[in-house]
Each structure stands twice: as C-alpha cells, then as structure tokens.
Amino acid sequence: MKLFNRYKAGLLILLWMFSHGVQTVFASNAEQQAAQKAALKIQEIYDRHQLQLTPKRKAHYALRMYRLTGQEKYVSEIINHVYRLVARVSWYDEHVKDEKFRLQITDDLTSRFGQKSRDQLRSRFWQQTEFKALRFELHSVYLLAQLNQLGIKPTHFSNLLHHLQKQPLAKILLDESFIRVYAAQAANYVFWLEELGIASLSEKFIRKFKEIYPKTKDSELSQLEYQNKLYGLTHIVLAASRYYQKSVDAERFQWVTAYFVSTLDTIEKRAKADVLAEIGVCLKLVDYSDQVVIHRLKRRLLAKIDKTHHIIPGVDGNVSLSAGEHRNVLTYAFFNWPKQLITGPDLTQTPAWRRQLPYRLSLD
C-alpha cells in the first residue's frame, strides 16, 4: 500500500509538471503571437504616418526598418538623409582648418539644450569641461560614421578625416565626467572611431565603464544616473553590432548579459520602455537563449502598449509618433526579430541607388 501511495504521489507530481509545462508553452506561444501582431501594427502605423515624423526620426526609422526587414521601400528616405549628411559634412570639410569656424559650430552645438534634468546636466558639463573644443570633432565623427555605414567612405572628406586623426579624442571618451552624462553616446563614438580607422578604444572604454558603474553601487545611483548606466550598457552592444547589421560576440559581452539577467527585477521597476526594448534587442544580438527572461521583457512591453493608439506612449502619456519613434521601433525590433539581419544599405553598390546620390559621390 505504501509503495502504491508513493507511486500515486509521483504520478501526480509528473502530471502537475506536465500540465504546467504545457500551460507555459501555450502561454509563451500566445505571448509571441501577441508580440508579433503588436510589432506589425507598429510598422503599419509608422509606415502610414511617416510624414508626421521629423526628418531625423524618419531617417532613424527607415534605416532600422531596412536592416530588420530588407524592404527597399525604406531606401528612398535613407537617401534623403544622405543628402542632409553630405551637405553638413562637406561644409565641415571645407572649413575645418578655420579655428573660428570650429568654435562657432561648437558654440551652436553646446547651446541646444532643453529644460529637462538630463539636458541641464549636459549643459553644465559643456560649460565646465576642459574638452569643450572637442564638441565639433565628436559631431564630425557622428556624421562620418553615418555615411560610412551607408558605403560612403570618410576619404571623400579628407580634410575633416585628417583633422580628426590628430585630435585627442581618447581623453574625452575615457573621461569619467563625460561618461557619467553621455554613456550611450560615448559608446557610439568609441565604436565609430574604430569603424573609421581613427582609434581603437573599445576595450579601454569598457574597462573604464566597469570602474565607473560597478553593480554593487546601483542602489546609490539617482534615477538619472541609473538610466545613463543602462543606456551605456545597451549602446555598447548596439554599437558593436553596427546598429542591427550583425550579431555580436556573446562571450565578449557576457558581462553585459549577466548584468541584465541578474538585475532584471530592478530594471523592470526603474527602466523606461525604450531601455527595456533595447535590452531585449541586445539579448537577441548575443543570441541569448533563456526564454524566461525574453518573455518577461515582452510581457512588460506588451502591457505598456496603448490599446487605442497601438503604440507605446511616453511616460507622460504622450502618443506623438515622432516623439515615440525610438521606443516603438525598438519594440518592433524586439518583438519581430528577423532570422537574418541586413547590412547597409551600401548605397554605392546598387546602380539604381548610386544614381540618386549627391552628384560627385555618384561619379566616384
């Protein structure tokens, strides 16, 4: 009788485990279907209302959607973006040797701050830092890197490239005060400099970042500082992927993955929607396999979607498509991750695209 009871108890446990396993599978499948449906709705809304976006947001959306879907309908907006970039870079290239010109651009770039706490923090940084004169150079790196990823090499703008090669950019990018207010941007600049062949700083930057933001000090960070840390972590991975153009080395960024997973409870409580989506994308880029973590993030983001507008609004309830483009295209990416990422587009390799480039570039 005792043997029978033990057998019966064991059978009941197995049945319970099986039934809950089936429920988990059904729940995860239903959740994935809901996420894909939500992603396609986001794409439909943004495709239909692109005219409501600012030029910057239209370009951001088109570039990421091309790399995620490979659909050529997004290329025309990317080419429009190239015209704006080339106009600015050509201007810089022509006048880069003029110190007054560089200072004028620097003053313009460091005066564009709003009233939000983060903006004011950054404004104070530029007012106080010894590196203010490098603001022009950082913006130039951004512009050249954008063009480089579209097949337009920095050698087209040799004056600007040679100028950048002589600048002490490592000093500002490895400076703690800069990283504490611009962690995400610092990560971008570091990886862009490597792509442009100007400097190799990524390992030094990662070591510095770990020194500044140890896991043990998270509880001491203000909300603004915590958000800056999370943005820095996600952008290290995103920048290494050349923004969704390739997967990244999971071993190299295991420390980032481990941090996200081990502190997920805190992240869910303190992070905004765009950070949650970025973390999801980062896990996809390293091919992270623990579906429990993936599904937790998806559930959190699904719950944030406005049922009337079918997008994720801002924390203040703002449903502006332009203001919310970043968080929503990231949510699309996480919810509908492709089997294969698309590189480029390299606008110089397809004749139909090449003919649409600024005239002198189309002849090179």
Side-chain angles (χ1 to χ4, degrees), residues 42-43 54 74 102 140 168 227 246 248 265 317 339 364:
I42 288 171
Q43 181 184 19
T54 65
Y74 296 111
R102 299 197 306 271
S140 298
Q227 293 288 347
K246 62 177 184 177
V248 300
D265 288 342
K339 293 181 180 178
D364 291 331

Side-chain angles (χ1 to χ4, degrees), residues 225-283:
E225 291 167 331
Y226 182 68
Q227 293 288 347
N228 187 64
K229 174 180 179 174
L230 291 181
Y231 278 127
L233 286 167
T234 57
H235 280 68
I236 287 170
V237 178
L238 296 175
S241 77
R242 304 190 78 208
Y243 278 86
Y244 324 121
Q245 293 190 73
K246 62 177 184 177
S247 297
V248 300
D249 184 349
E251 184 176 347
R252 184 185 185 192
F253 299 107
Q254 187 276 336
W255 64 279
V256 179
T257 305
Y259 175 82
F260 290 152
V261 173
S262 65
T263 66
L264 189 57
D265 288 342
T266 303
I267 288 171
E268 285 186 320
K269 292 174 184 175
R270 298 185 69 181
K272 296 191 296 184
D274 56 348
V275 177
L276 294 175
E278 282 183 358
I279 291 172
V281 168
C282 289
L283 294 177

